[in-house]
């Protein structure tokens, strides 16, 4: 796949929103399950991260497969900070307004490191 084809594929993914909706569904599923999740991941869940221990693909791969893998193997290996059983640092990023604002900021993708950048 050449650069023009890759660019067209990424534009199509942005336009139809399928990938974003998949990520949204997985994020909401994760948040909904946090109250029943242990604060810290099990040894098995952390071992599941080995699913990512392989070379990156040489070419284009299906982005929806990656989102599914992140949900299947990544989510269980996280610390459930917003689940009510975590008594460590208070980050506050899971407040609904903070979550929504962060999604907006991610969509805007601005780099505030230097004024000349964005």
């Amino acid at each position: 796949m050449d650069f023009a084809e890759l660019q067209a594929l990424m534009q199509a993914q942005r336009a139809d929103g399928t990938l974003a909706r998949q990520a949204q569904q997985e994020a909401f599923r994760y948040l909904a399950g946090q109250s029943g999740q242990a604060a810290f991941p099990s040894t098995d869940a952390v071992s599941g991260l080995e699913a990512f221990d392989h070379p990156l693909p040489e070419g284009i791969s299906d982005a929806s497969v990656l989102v599914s893998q992140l949900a299947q193997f990544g989510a269980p290996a996280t610390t459930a900070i917003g689940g009510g059983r975590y008594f460590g640092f208070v980050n506050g990023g899971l407040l609904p307004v903070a979550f929504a604002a962060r999604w907006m900021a991610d969509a805007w993708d601005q780099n505030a490191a230097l004024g000349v950048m964005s």
Side-chain angles (χ1 to χ4, degrees), residues 4-114:
E5 291 170 322
L6 173 61
Q7 195 171 23
L9 173 63
M10 290 187 334
Q11 184 59 36
Q13 287 175 333
R14 286 186 192 115
D16 74 10
T18 303
L19 191 61
R21 280 192 298 281
Q22 179 189 3
Q24 178 188 39
Q25 289 171 350
E26 294 296 354
F28 288 153
R29 186 181 348 266
Y30 173 78
L31 292 173
Q34 268 199 336
S35 63
Q37 184 178 335
F40 295 100
S42 68
T43 303
D44 287 341
V46 174
S47 294
L49 294 173
E50 292 176 5
F52 299 112
D53 191 17
H54 54 79
L56 293 173
E58 291 289 326
I60 306 297
S61 58
D62 186 348
S64 67
V65 171
L66 175 60
V67 172
S68 294
Q69 289 173 334
L70 287 170
Q72 181 179 358
F73 303 111
T78 63
T79 301
I81 292 173
R85 296 180 176 155
Y86 175 79
F87 298 104
F89 295 98
V90 177
N91 296 326
L94 289 178
L95 296 172
V97 67
F99 193 55
R102 189 171 57 233
W103 273 11
M104 293 298 299
D106 287 346
W108 296 336
D109 196 24
Q110 299 296 290
N111 186 333
L114 301 170

